[in-house]
Amino acid sequence: MQPRRQPPPAPRPRGNCPGAPLLALLLLLALRGAAAAPAGPEDPRRPQDAGLSRGLLQQAARAALHFLNFRAGSPSALRALAAVQEGRASVSAGAAPVNPKEGCKVDLVFSTERYNSEEGEEHFGNCSARVFFKNQKPRRAINVTCTQLLEKRKRQQEDYLLYKQMKQLKPPLDVVSIPDSHGHIDPSLKPIWDLAFLGSSYVMWEKTTQFLHYYLAQLTSVKQWKTDDDEIDFDYTVLLHEFSTQEIIPCRIHLVWYPGKPLKVKYHCQELQTPEEASGTEEG
């Protein structure tokens, strides 16, 4: 009788697997670890897989981008997410491995593009970030570094041009909705939208969690104030779309901006579930 043929061994994992293979690789490693580990409780101090998924990496990338956009304080330097390239998540130290709701740490690399990118324009650059999602205040801590930043002189020129356009607008601004019902933004209103997006980046960064993702859906009102100095000072109302709950959340935001200076933002969002977390203020 011939000996029974053994099945071929599982392929050895390779490093830096992009996209979907990364998820399969981590699942394979988790299964092997579970089979080899002895029975009994695990050391909670040891970093554990937190059920890494594409969605969690996307959440971390969005949070890092909102923080980056707000910190830059420049409408011309706004970035949008192009693609998540790789990442790893682990449960925060001291948290139970079976309960990722206690918080998690995400290390990732992602590519970006200019928010107002033109057709055919290449990706803006890569970013590496470490994002801590926590279920108590402060809710997240972010460390992000990016390459291929917009050249400083060009950014200053574009910001000053937008600043001049805003200063030339005559109050009161009669803004009903940006974009309109057809999704169109009139070129004359583009500076208002860009500044509103910049200020909203702080609000979305504050509110993004490992489970909640916000998107700026519409700007519904704008009131620009006359000031004794050169700063742009205006109030506006936005509608934020939260994807997992499909809720539309109105937020009133007050923004003070001048090219090259830190951005100042105050806001209040109409939320019935967590009113204690519905407002904030920050200077970039």
Side-chain angles (χ1 to χ4, degrees):
M1 179 182 297
Q2 295 183 350
R4 180 180 299 174
R5 250 193 318 185
Q6 299 295 325
R12 297 179 62 85
R14 298 180 180 178
N16 301 324
C17 296
L22 177 61
L23 183 58
L25 172 61
L26 291 173
L27 179 59
L28 177 61
L29 292 176
L31 291 174
R32 287 183 174 180
E42 296 179 345
D43 184 354
R45 295 170 298 176
R46 179 186 174 190
Q48 303 290 334
D49 260 338
L52 179 63
S53 68
R54 198 70 178 171
L56 181 57
L57 291 180
Q58 293 278 346
Q59 291 291 87
R62 294 185 188 108
L65 267 180
H66 292 323
F67 172 72
L68 184 70
N69 285 333
F70 165 71
R71 187 180 63 179
S74 167
S76 303
L78 289 172
R79 295 182 181 220
L81 180 62
V84 175
Q85 297 174 344
E86 59 181 337
R88 173 179 174 81
S90 59
V91 175
S92 298
V98 296
N99 186 11
K101 291 184 179 181
E102 293 293 333
C104 66
K105 176 184 70 176
V106 184
D107 293 296
L108 73 158
V109 177
F110 56 94
S111 59
T112 66
E113 58 190 10
R114 291 193 65 178
Y115 177 70
N116 294 317
S117 61
E118 299 177 359
E119 186 175 354
E121 188 175 9
E122 296 183 356
H123 286 174
F124 197 16
N126 291 336
C127 298
S128 59
R130 170 169 288 183
V131 180
F132 290 90
F133 286 117
K134 295 178 287 184
N135 283 346
Q136 67 278 346
K137 291 185 177 182
R139 287 192 176 278
R140 72 217 52 76
I142 296 176
N143 185 5
V144 57
T145 303
C146 297
T147 62
Q148 198 177 334
L149 295 170
L150 185 65
E151 195 269 327
K152 183 177 180 180
R153 182 178 296 274
K154 182 178 181 181
R155 185 186 72 232
Q156 291 174 336
Q157 291 173 346
E158 293 184 8
D159 280 349
Y160 188 69
L161 178 60
L162 184 146
Y163 171 80
K164 288 177 61 178
Q165 292 174 325
M166 287 292 297
K167 276 295 186 181
Q168 290 170 359
L169 295 175
K170 296 182 179 180
L173 299 177
D174 186 16
V175 177
V176 177
S177 61
I178 307 175
D180 61 22
S181 57
H182 301 287
H184 174 70
I185 300 178
D186 188 276
S188 65
L189 300 177
K190 193 66 169 58
I192 300 176
W193 173 262
D194 287 347
L195 267 181
F197 188 93
L198 179 63
S200 301
S201 294
Y202 171 71
V203 182
M204 292 187 287
W205 166 57
E206 274 255 300
K207 297 174 69 58
T208 297
T209 71
Q210 63 202 84
F211 308 108
L212 301 178
H213 161 217
Y214 294 87
Y215 175 77
L216 179 57
Q218 197 171 51
L219 175 62
T220 60
S221 69
V222 176
K223 182 175 183 179
Q224 185 169 347
W225 300 93
K226 289 185 178 181
T227 60
D228 296 332
D229 50 28
D230 294 329
E231 293 177 324
I232 300 293
D233 188 325
F234 71 105
D235 294 313
Y236 59 98
T237 302
V238 296
L239 300 180
L240 298 183
H241 180 198
E242 201 292 298
F243 276 77
S244 61
T245 62
Q246 296 301 313
E247 290 185 1
I248 299 296
I249 303 172
C251 296
R252 297 195 308 273
I253 302 175
H254 179 78
L255 180 146
V256 178
W257 175 75
Y258 184 83
K261 290 186 177 181
L263 185 68
K264 300 176 183 178
V265 176
K266 294 181 180 180
Y267 76 94
H268 176 79
C269 296
Q270 297 179 15
E271 292 181 282
L272 299 179
Q273 294 179 348
T274 55
E276 72 280 3
E277 301 169 5
S279 61
T281 178
E282 185 62 43
E283 180 174 335

PDB file of all heavy atoms in Angstrom, residues 159-177:
ATOM      1  N   ASP A 159      -3.281  80.686  -1.707  1.00  0.00           N
ATOM      2  CA  ASP A 159      -4.045  81.113  -0.532  1.00  0.00           C
ATOM      3  C   ASP A 159      -4.356  82.604  -0.586  1.00  0.00           C
ATOM      4  O   ASP A 159      -5.465  83.043  -0.253  1.00  0.00           O
ATOM      5  CB  ASP A 159      -3.278  80.796   0.756  1.00  0.00           C
ATOM      6  CG  ASP A 159      -3.413  79.343   1.183  1.00  0.00           C
ATOM      7  OD1 ASP A 159      -4.262  78.634   0.602  1.00  0.00           O
ATOM      8  OD2 ASP A 159      -2.676  78.915   2.087  1.00  0.00           O
ATOM      9  N   TYR A 160      -3.379  83.411  -1.003  1.00  0.00           N
ATOM     10  CA  TYR A 160      -3.601  84.852  -1.043  1.00  0.00           C
ATOM     11  C   TYR A 160      -4.608  85.219  -2.126  1.00  0.00           C
ATOM     12  O   TYR A 160      -5.410  86.134  -1.949  1.00  0.00           O
ATOM     13  CB  TYR A 160      -2.280  85.594  -1.272  1.00  0.00           C
ATOM     14  CG  TYR A 160      -2.426  87.089  -1.140  1.00  0.00           C
ATOM     15  CD1 TYR A 160      -2.674  87.669   0.101  1.00  0.00           C
ATOM     16  CD2 TYR A 160      -2.334  87.922  -2.252  1.00  0.00           C
ATOM     17  CE1 TYR A 160      -2.832  89.037   0.235  1.00  0.00           C
ATOM     18  CE2 TYR A 160      -2.485  89.298  -2.134  1.00  0.00           C
ATOM     19  CZ  TYR A 160      -2.728  89.850  -0.882  1.00  0.00           C
ATOM     20  OH  TYR A 160      -2.887  91.207  -0.762  1.00  0.00           O
ATOM     21  N   LEU A 161      -4.593  84.495  -3.241  1.00  0.00           N
ATOM     22  CA  LEU A 161      -5.581  84.733  -4.287  1.00  0.00           C
ATOM     23  C   LEU A 161      -6.981  84.438  -3.775  1.00  0.00           C
ATOM     24  O   LEU A 161      -7.928  85.204  -4.010  1.00  0.00           O
ATOM     25  CB  LEU A 161      -5.265  83.867  -5.511  1.00  0.00           C
ATOM     26  CG  LEU A 161      -6.250  83.963  -6.689  1.00  0.00           C
ATOM     27  CD1 LEU A 161      -6.311  85.391  -7.219  1.00  0.00           C
ATOM     28  CD2 LEU A 161      -5.861  82.997  -7.800  1.00  0.00           C
ATOM     29  N   LEU A 162      -7.143  83.313  -3.047  1.00  0.00           N
ATOM     30  CA  LEU A 162      -8.439  82.989  -2.456  1.00  0.00           C
ATOM     31  C   LEU A 162      -8.836  84.047  -1.423  1.00  0.00           C
ATOM     32  O   LEU A 162     -10.008  84.442  -1.350  1.00  0.00           O
ATOM     33  CB  LEU A 162      -8.379  81.604  -1.820  1.00  0.00           C
ATOM     34  CG  LEU A 162      -9.681  81.051  -1.224  1.00  0.00           C
ATOM     35  CD1 LEU A 162      -9.738  79.534  -1.404  1.00  0.00           C
ATOM     36  CD2 LEU A 162      -9.808  81.380   0.264  1.00  0.00           C
ATOM     37  N   TYR A 163      -7.868  84.508  -0.656  1.00  0.00           N
ATOM     38  CA  TYR A 163      -8.127  85.536   0.348  1.00  0.00           C
ATOM     39  C   TYR A 163      -8.664  86.812  -0.309  1.00  0.00           C
ATOM     40  O   TYR A 163      -9.634  87.419   0.172  1.00  0.00           O
ATOM     41  CB  TYR A 163      -6.837  85.815   1.112  1.00  0.00           C
ATOM     42  CG  TYR A 163      -6.902  87.015   2.038  1.00  0.00           C
ATOM     43  CD1 TYR A 163      -7.500  86.918   3.291  1.00  0.00           C
ATOM     44  CD2 TYR A 163      -6.358  88.237   1.648  1.00  0.00           C
ATOM     45  CE1 TYR A 163      -7.552  88.012   4.140  1.00  0.00           C
ATOM     46  CE2 TYR A 163      -6.409  89.338   2.486  1.00  0.00           C
ATOM     47  CZ  TYR A 163      -7.001  89.219   3.726  1.00  0.00           C
ATOM     48  OH  TYR A 163      -7.061  90.316   4.562  1.00  0.00           O
ATOM     49  N   LYS A 164      -8.063  87.231  -1.401  1.00  0.00           N
ATOM     50  CA  LYS A 164      -8.512  88.420  -2.119  1.00  0.00           C
ATOM     51  C   LYS A 164      -9.934  88.239  -2.647  1.00  0.00           C
ATOM     52  O   LYS A 164     -10.753  89.160  -2.601  1.00  0.00           O
ATOM     53  CB  LYS A 164      -7.554  88.747  -3.259  1.00  0.00           C
ATOM     54  CG  LYS A 164      -6.212  89.297  -2.810  1.00  0.00           C
ATOM     55  CD  LYS A 164      -5.289  89.520  -4.004  1.00  0.00           C
ATOM     56  CE  LYS A 164      -5.878  90.522  -4.992  1.00  0.00           C
ATOM     57  NZ  LYS A 164      -4.943  90.768  -6.125  1.00  0.00           N
ATOM     58  N   GLN A 165     -10.234  87.043  -3.154  1.00  0.00           N
ATOM     59  CA  GLN A 165     -11.587  86.777  -3.652  1.00  0.00           C
ATOM     60  C   GLN A 165     -12.609  86.871  -2.525  1.00  0.00           C
ATOM     61  O   GLN A 165     -13.705  87.414  -2.715  1.00  0.00           O
ATOM     62  CB  GLN A 165     -11.632  85.389  -4.304  1.00  0.00           C
ATOM     63  CG  GLN A 165     -10.836  85.285  -5.587  1.00  0.00           C
ATOM     64  CD  GLN A 165     -10.794  83.867  -6.122  1.00  0.00           C
ATOM     65  OE1 GLN A 165     -10.755  82.895  -5.362  1.00  0.00           O
ATOM     66  NE2 GLN A 165     -10.787  83.726  -7.435  1.00  0.00           N
ATOM     67  N   MET A 166     -12.253  86.355  -1.345  1.00  0.00           N
ATOM     68  CA  MET A 166     -13.166  86.427  -0.211  1.00  0.00           C
ATOM     69  C   MET A 166     -13.367  87.862   0.247  1.00  0.00           C
ATOM     70  O   MET A 166     -14.474  88.272   0.591  1.00  0.00           O
ATOM     71  CB  MET A 166     -12.633  85.579   0.945  1.00  0.00           C
ATOM     72  CG  MET A 166     -12.741  84.081   0.743  1.00  0.00           C
ATOM     73  SD  MET A 166     -14.457  83.507   0.749  1.00  0.00           S
ATOM     74  CE  MET A 166     -14.964  83.913   2.416  1.00  0.00           C
ATOM     75  N   LYS A 167     -12.315  88.657   0.240  1.00  0.00           N
ATOM     76  CA  LYS A 167     -12.406  90.039   0.677  1.00  0.00           C
ATOM     77  C   LYS A 167     -13.247  90.890  -0.286  1.00  0.00           C
ATOM     78  O   LYS A 167     -13.844  91.892   0.111  1.00  0.00           O
ATOM     79  CB  LYS A 167     -11.005  90.644   0.807  1.00  0.00           C
ATOM     80  CG  LYS A 167     -10.326  90.342   2.129  1.00  0.00           C
ATOM     81  CD  LYS A 167     -11.062  90.992   3.293  1.00  0.00           C
ATOM     82  CE  LYS A 167     -10.352  90.859   4.611  1.00  0.00           C
ATOM     83  NZ  LYS A 167     -11.099  91.482   5.736  1.00  0.00           N
ATOM     84  N   GLN A 168     -13.300  90.471  -1.537  1.00  0.00           N
ATOM     85  CA  GLN A 168     -14.054  91.229  -2.532  1.00  0.00           C
ATOM     86  C   GLN A 168     -15.544  90.917  -2.506  1.00  0.00           C
ATOM     87  O   GLN A 168     -16.335  91.638  -3.113  1.00  0.00           O
ATOM     88  CB  GLN A 168     -13.491  90.950  -3.935  1.00  0.00           C
ATOM     89  CG  GLN A 168     -12.106  91.543  -4.162  1.00  0.00           C
ATOM     90  CD  GLN A 168     -11.472  91.062  -5.444  1.00  0.00           C
ATOM     91  OE1 GLN A 168     -12.046  90.255  -6.178  1.00  0.00           O
ATOM     92  NE2 GLN A 168     -10.271  91.554  -5.733  1.00  0.00           N
ATOM     93  N   LEU A 169     -15.919  89.833  -1.817  1.00  0.00           N
ATOM     94  CA  LEU A 169     -17.338  89.506  -1.708  1.00  0.00           C
ATOM     95  C   LEU A 169     -18.025  90.557  -0.834  1.00  0.00           C
ATOM     96  O   LEU A 169     -17.521  90.927   0.218  1.00  0.00           O
ATOM     97  CB  LEU A 169     -17.517  88.113  -1.100  1.00  0.00           C
ATOM     98  CG  LEU A 169     -16.999  86.941  -1.939  1.00  0.00           C
ATOM     99  CD1 LEU A 169     -17.123  85.640  -1.153  1.00  0.00           C
ATOM    100  CD2 LEU A 169     -17.756  86.829  -3.260  1.00  0.00           C
ATOM    101  N   LYS A 170     -19.170  91.022  -1.290  1.00  0.00           N
ATOM    102  CA  LYS A 170     -19.871  92.081  -0.566  1.00  0.00           C
ATOM    103  C   LYS A 170     -20.958  91.472   0.322  1.00  0.00           C
ATOM    104  O   LYS A 170     -21.890  90.840  -0.175  1.00  0.00           O
ATOM    105  CB  LYS A 170     -20.490  93.071  -1.551  1.00  0.00           C
ATOM    106  CG  LYS A 170     -19.452  93.819  -2.388  1.00  0.00           C
ATOM    107  CD  LYS A 170     -20.114  94.821  -3.329  1.00  0.00           C
ATOM    108  CE  LYS A 170     -19.069  95.582  -4.135  1.00  0.00           C
ATOM    109  NZ  LYS A 170     -19.690  96.565  -5.051  1.00  0.00           N
ATOM    110  N   PRO A 171     -20.856  91.680   1.624  1.00  0.00           N
ATOM    111  CA  PRO A 171     -21.913  91.185   2.521  1.00  0.00           C
ATOM    112  C   PRO A 171     -23.159  92.039   2.376  1.00  0.00           C
ATOM    113  O   PRO A 171     -23.068  93.209   1.976  1.00  0.00           O
ATOM    114  CB  PRO A 171     -21.279  91.330   3.910  1.00  0.00           C
ATOM    115  CG  PRO A 171     -20.231  92.386   3.751  1.00  0.00           C
ATOM    116  CD  PRO A 171     -19.752  92.313   2.339  1.00  0.00           C
ATOM    117  N   PRO A 172     -24.367  91.510   2.685  1.00  0.00           N
ATOM    118  CA  PRO A 172     -24.525  90.135   3.177  1.00  0.00           C
ATOM    119  C   PRO A 172     -24.489  89.125   2.047  1.00  0.00           C
ATOM    120  O   PRO A 172     -24.988  89.385   0.957  1.00  0.00           O
ATOM    121  CB  PRO A 172     -25.914  90.173   3.822  1.00  0.00           C
ATOM    122  CG  PRO A 172     -26.650  91.206   3.034  1.00  0.00           C
ATOM    123  CD  PRO A 172     -25.639  92.255   2.674  1.00  0.00           C
ATOM    124  N   LEU A 173     -23.871  87.982   2.308  1.00  0.00           N
ATOM    125  CA  LEU A 173     -23.797  86.938   1.303  1.00  0.00           C
ATOM    126  C   LEU A 173     -25.135  86.201   1.234  1.00  0.00           C
ATOM    127  O   LEU A 173     -25.641  85.737   2.251  1.00  0.00           O
ATOM    128  CB  LEU A 173     -22.677  85.956   1.648  1.00  0.00           C
ATOM    129  CG  LEU A 173     -21.264  86.551   1.709  1.00  0.00           C
ATOM    130  CD1 LEU A 173     -20.279  85.481   2.140  1.00  0.00           C
ATOM    131  CD2 LEU A 173     -20.862  87.131   0.369  1.00  0.00           C
ATOM    132  N   ASP A 174     -25.679  86.117   0.059  1.00  0.00           N
ATOM    133  CA  ASP A 174     -26.963  85.434  -0.127  1.00  0.00           C
ATOM    134  C   ASP A 174     -26.694  84.024  -0.639  1.00  0.00           C
ATOM    135  O   ASP A 174     -26.768  83.753  -1.830  1.00  0.00           O
ATOM    136  CB  ASP A 174     -27.842  86.217  -1.105  1.00  0.00           C
ATOM    137  CG  ASP A 174     -29.245  85.633  -1.229  1.00  0.00           C
ATOM    138  OD1 ASP A 174     -29.619  84.836  -0.347  1.00  0.00           O
ATOM    139  OD2 ASP A 174     -29.930  85.949  -2.208  1.00  0.00           O
ATOM    140  N   VAL A 175     -26.343  83.141   0.283  1.00  0.00           N
ATOM    141  CA  VAL A 175     -25.999  81.771  -0.070  1.00  0.00           C
ATOM    142  C   VAL A 175     -27.109  80.852   0.418  1.00  0.00           C
ATOM    143  O   VAL A 175     -27.402  80.805   1.616  1.00  0.00           O
ATOM    144  CB  VAL A 175     -24.649  81.358   0.544  1.00  0.00           C
ATOM    145  CG1 VAL A 175     -24.350  79.906   0.225  1.00  0.00           C
ATOM    146  CG2 VAL A 175     -23.543  82.260   0.014  1.00  0.00           C
ATOM    147  N   VAL A 176     -27.726  80.139  -0.499  1.00  0.00           N
ATOM    148  CA  VAL A 176     -28.789  79.201  -0.142  1.00  0.00           C
ATOM    149  C   VAL A 176     -28.196  77.819   0.118  1.00  0.00           C
ATOM    150  O   VAL A 176     -28.382  77.232   1.183  1.00  0.00           O
ATOM    151  CB  VAL A 176     -29.859  79.142  -1.244  1.00  0.00           C
ATOM    152  CG1 VAL A 176     -30.923  78.122  -0.891  1.00  0.00           C
ATOM    153  CG2 VAL A 176     -30.482  80.517  -1.467  1.00  0.00           C
ATOM    154  N   SER A 177     -27.468  77.286  -0.830  1.00  0.00           N
ATOM    155  CA  SER A 177     -26.841  75.981  -0.634  1.00  0.00           C
ATOM    156  C   SER A 177     -25.677  75.814  -1.600  1.00  0.00           C
ATOM    157  O   SER A 177     -25.757  76.203  -2.766  1.00  0.00           O
ATOM    158  CB  SER A 177     -27.862  74.846  -0.834  1.00  0.00           C
ATOM    159  OG  SER A 177     -28.389  74.870  -2.149  1.00  0.00           O
TER     160      SER A 177
END
